[in-house]
Amino acid sequence: MADLTHPDNFLDYLSSFWTQVFQDDGAVRGIAAADAHQLAQLYQDFVESVAALSIQTITPFHRELTYPIVLRKTTFSEGPDTIRFGKGIEWGAQPSRTAFREGVTFVYGGMEKRSGLYYVGIPAGVQNIQGGIFNRLINPSVFLVRDNDFILKDGILSFKQDPFTNPLIAKRTVAGPNGSIDEEVVLWASDTQFDHSTLFNHYGFLFPTIQGQGESYRRALECLLKAWSGGPTFAALDSLAAALAGAPLVGETSETVESIQFFNGLQLIITNTNIYTIPAGLTMRPEIRKGTVISAGQPLTTATVLADRKAGQPWWNELPALMAGPDLVAADITSLGFLNEPCRVEYKRGARFFLAGASRDVEAFWDQVRQKEADSNLSLADQLWRDAGLIDDSGAPDFSQSLWLNPLQFLAEKVLADDLLVLKLKVACLPNPSNLFRNLELLRRIAPAHATLLVFLSVETSEGFNLVRNDSGAINPTGTAPVNTQDLLDQAVGNFPLLTRQHWSAQDELGLKTKTPEALSIDDCPDIIRETLNLSSADLIQESLTIRTQELCEP
Amino acid sequence: MSTASQSLGFIAGVNLDPTRFTPEEIAAAELLIQQFMTDFQPDLNVSKISTLYDLNVRSQAIIYLLNKAQSQALQSTQSLHGVVANPSLANDSVVDAILSNVGVVRRPGAAATGRVRLFLSTGDSLQIPATTTFMTASGLIFRVSQSYLALQKPAAAGDLQIFQAASAGSSWYVLVPVVAAAPGINYLVPDQTPLICQPAPSNLVVCRAFGDFQGGLDPETTASLVNRIAESMAARNLTSPTTIASTLKQNFPALLDIGIQGMSGEAMTRNSDNLLSFKSGGFVDLYCRTSQGLTFASVDKVASLIDQAGSIATYMVQMDRQDLPGHYFIESIVAAGQPQTSSYTLLSESRNFENRVDPAGGITGTARPNKIRTPQEAVYSVYQTNQAVFQVEGSPDETFAFPSAMNVTVQAALLPGLQAIQSYVNDLAVGCALADYLVRAPVPCLVRFSEIVIEGAPGTSIDAIRSAIYFYCNSIPMGGRLQVDEVIGAIKGVAGVRFVRLPLVIQGQILAPSGGTISLRGSSFLEVPSRPLDQVVPENTCFFLQPSDIPITLVEI
């Protein structure tokens, strides 16, 4: 059967009259080619409609086989110093984490900065040009290669050379909006992707807190729906956390790892069906080895790791301590620290071991233990000494023998044991941390209700931040100096650079004391992590100021 | 029911209209055709003033765009979000059919019920035919569900009793059960609302609503229905908060909202019964809202005389756990057969619990499927018991001999259906192994409004305004807050309303499981505080507003 989306077949199908008898057969061929092309586009639309019925097959972007790019001379800008931003693009200094930055965005091959670029805004919704750009649809004489001759980013199409000076590109004179004379060229982009919100309209609207675009968005929704409708299996939650963070996952139902290689400093996982790249900064999961069979949704990196008592290494091994608050302890306390190091168990009125925290909290905790021992006629000391096998000949606990105990291990293995799900996140490595943090509540709603989900954030202390006062009375700083993250976490305000400390140099009403931040919010790489630290000291006025942090890292 | 093809929204002769498309879309389609034609034959004139443009380019472009538009419309009908965003794509029955695939069924709404008090000039027997209707001034109609015979001394089951009263102008009255002619919350008429009886008995003086009418519910909107899709797509088990909500709502359609306190829930106290007071896994408290408004139900009990001093006697009535399970508070205690308005003075309520259950769900076994340590943990659950003490005052001019036991009717506010949910989650074939699910009614925050003064056009319906406020307040999910601006938005959604005078003060009273009362007051919002020691947190507390607690004054302008 002939494929009528091919222009020649379509023309043959019409009848031999048009090609053999009719004189203007070029016109008919053109009409037939247009018909055939439009037929192909409608077929593409139909395929996308069918694919949209499943989260596994839906295409994140709509595809136009060819898309006309109409350029007018007056809308063109020459760069790099006079960028004309397209509609919706912020003018002036770009805020932090904006992908479009002068001198940064237009880097060919990720290395070289070019100058002499030509910019134009294109309609919103155009996400990408997968193919090239041509001057004609049939036998083109100009073919512009993506990332070499043009770049499309943030709604700006930039060319390496001015299309209006290319003699092979047809130009025509047109009237401008106010009657002026303008020049126009039409170029054709092949395989252009548009965001028609198909993913959102079909699936994403059910979970509006999940944001994103493209394949990572589809993958996050797919993992969520799997966990949502299949129940909170360990694997489903593990996949979901990774997918929300944008970390790479296995794509096919079943794949076999054939080799693991390095290329240009990046780790590649080559399977029988795919090649996965481990992004810089991420570490491949140890269970991914040559010959391993991996399955759809399986995370490939340690950017996010889910753990419970049974899975992998003990989750508490690498932690220096765990602070337990009211969400874990039903006592009138703020926080208790269980250290991950051996502590001697004292036996006085009963057993007690070292707990970090305010003395009020520690004493309240042990008082409550004593009270419960009295009420229940049970003894914590009896249990601890017996568990350690420290008993005398009669089988009674031998309190004359010393007992050492790791409080965190005791907490993790004896007290909480199977009641905890632990999610470890390497914040600095997460490709899309804000999406994950925005949806931690969603994870909690999917995790078993009769257990607790603990989330550990691993923050890179090697990073620095600029700290700026964020309260209404703050004066815009004229400069900033980076603060070391370790100093931030240690609350070592004295180590902060003088310029940063001066941001709080305003005096109180009497001019006697210096204001200081009582609470400081770390807006780490994801700008929604908010960890409150107490930075107050006695000689400073405590005031609820917050600090806005600006990352130093450049893309 | 419309079909998908009917829903596409294309009407012959109307939709073949180029103004449906933007100039840019038309230009792009035309450009493609022009480019192909000139690529094959560069000397062709396909400009807008050419014959080829008129004959071919323009028409082919429009036909292509129409085909493309149909394709896009088809894709929109496959998207529920698209259907909701553009209701013309599909009517309610199409939406219902699509959603039935994922187990979501539209709540049909419910007719309000209540009792009408007919004041009579004589105590003669009265026949109330099944065709009798009662109508409010705003035209809301209520019917009786059967014919009744009212007598001073009822002879048969179903007969109504004619009571003697002391109201001016009438000496007798009868209480007639009625049901609204249609579902909807606007039928929740408040106590004492005047009604017109048709046909009216010859000895009728006046008739009014007796107590606030209950149970009226509007049919669910498509938007609300779509909001439930995600939940209904969740797995059916009692594991995670999402799946628990999904499973219970599917099995108990009346379940409107559920607050879940799991292992580390602030209001979870049942799981720290160990030496270190650490919260342990396996425990889940389910706070189930099974009704928009409070429901009032009654039970007949025998009260015991515990004290007597002159003409005042003190009685105690023991409410077992099967008596009005999980009730919030006792509204009234009256001598059996007397109207609720003649309640004795309630002195105290003292709550305890009984959580022994035999395998058949009875009360005599020794198994305790739900661990409860303190009476506070059982409050508003089906294991709650309640000992009410009340005072009876005799006439001072007579020697009053109080009986040692007295038949009384106890009326209490509650949410219905908790027992069935508790039995369901305790079923070993349903619940997760090792998990302990305790069903409780949400902690109630009883809301009252100050006088709401509204300026509106003549004829603006106060009933509709009251319904709008009632619906908003009683639909706030657990964890949400009651906002005055949204109340005003609901009021302004009623036809004729022009202005709502401020301030609009709201008061709330939280009846904490600890036995205490937490009072709230605000002119911008009411927010449930977090008081874990009282077992009050936003996630387990619901706002309840009764129609009678919405005083409205309409100023016609």
Side-chain angles (χ1 to χ4, degrees), chain B residues 264-503:
Chain B
S264 53
E266 279 189 289
M268 166 57 74
T269 60
R270 296 190 298 131
N271 63 345
S272 52
D273 187 22
N274 54 63
L275 287 179
L276 297 178
S277 299
F278 261 79
K279 296 194 171 188
S280 57
F283 292 85
V284 186
D285 283 356
L286 307 171
Y287 292 86
C288 298
R289 182 172 194 158
T290 55
S291 167
Q292 270 208 324
L294 293 177
T295 298
F296 291 88
S298 56
V299 62
D300 293 331
K301 299 292 292 182
V302 177
S304 310
L305 179 67
I306 57 175
D307 190 27
Q308 180 176 359
S311 62
I312 296 176
T314 306
Y315 281 84
M316 182 271 287
V317 61
Q318 177 65 39
M319 301 278 285
D320 297 324
R321 66 180 187 180
Q322 72 272 23
D323 298 325
L324 311 177
H327 63 266
Y328 283 136
F329 55 87
I330 293 175
E331 173 77 357
S332 64
I333 301 176
V334 298
Q338 292 301 306
Q340 304 297 337
T341 46
S342 57
S343 175
Y344 298 128
T345 305
L346 184 66
L347 298 179
S348 67
E349 293 183 52
S350 176
R351 310 214 180 204
N352 211 318
F353 68 98
E354 171 55 83
N355 63 336
R356 287 175 298 175
V357 179
D358 72 11
I363 59 169
T364 57
T366 55
R368 289 186 167 88
N370 297 105
K371 181 178 177 178
I372 296 172
R373 301 176 305 165
T374 64
Q376 178 178 319
E377 291 174 351
V379 167
Y380 309 146
S381 80
V382 299
Y383 301 115
Q384 164 189 269
T385 61
N386 194 358
Q387 194 176 67
V389 176
F390 61 95
Q391 208 170 56
V392 177
E393 198 168 344
S395 302
D397 57 345
E398 63 179 86
T399 304
F400 204 93
F402 292 100
S404 60
M406 179 168 60
N407 291 324
V408 293
T409 299
V410 181
Q411 188 188 49
L414 51 80
L415 294 185
L418 299 181
Q419 181 67 66
I421 301 174
Q422 183 68 70
S423 299
Y424 177 79
V425 298
N426 281 356
D427 187 337
L428 297 180
V430 173
C432 285
L434 299 175
D436 177 334
Y437 308 94
L438 178 65
V439 175
R440 304 173 76 172
V443 176
C445 178
L446 308 179
V447 178
R448 292 181 69 90
F449 277 82
S450 63
E451 183 79 12
I452 303 173
V453 182
I454 296 166
E455 296 176 10
T460 301
S461 168
I462 289 182
D463 287 341
I465 294 170
R466 186 172 281 117
S467 294
I469 299 171
Y470 175 91
F471 181 76
Y472 163 68
C473 292
N474 287 326
S475 300
I476 297 170
M478 281 179 254
R481 66 183 194 175
L482 197 166
Q483 299 200 171
V484 167
D485 57 341
E486 292 189 4
V487 173
I488 293 170
I491 295 171
K492 287 191 169 176
V494 175
V497 171
R498 292 181 185 161
F499 189 73
V500 182
R501 288 186 189 168
L502 296 177

Side-chain angles (χ1 to χ4, degrees), chain B residues 220-238:
Chain B
E220 190 170 20
T221 62
T222 295
S224 164
L225 198 60
V226 169
N227 282 338
R228 292 198 289 124
I229 296 174
E231 196 170 75
S232 65
M233 288 167 64
R236 299 284 191 262
N237 56 48
L238 299 182

Side-chain angles (χ1 to χ4, degrees), chain A residues 381-457:
Chain A
D382 271 16
Q383 290 180 16
L384 294 178
W385 259 260
R386 283 181 191 281
D387 283 352
L390 303 178
I391 52 175
D392 60 20
D393 294 341
S394 65
D398 182 1
F399 296 122
S400 65
Q401 297 190 58
S402 297
L403 172 61
W404 290 75
L405 171 147
N406 180 321
L408 180 54
Q409 182 181 11
F410 172 72
L411 181 68
E413 296 185 347
K414 301 286 186 186
V415 180
L416 297 172
D418 285 320
D419 300 334
L420 281 188
L421 261 177
V422 174
L423 178 60
K424 292 183 177 180
L425 309 175
K426 291 185 178 172
V427 175
C429 303
L430 299 179
N432 191 0
S434 57
N435 199 39
L436 176 59
F437 291 117
R438 195 183 302 114
N439 288 290
L440 281 179
E441 174 61 22
L442 192 61
L443 267 178
R444 206 167 67 85
R445 284 181 51 77
I446 297 174
H450 53 267
T452 288
L453 177 67
L454 280 186
V455 179
F456 291 107
L457 307 180

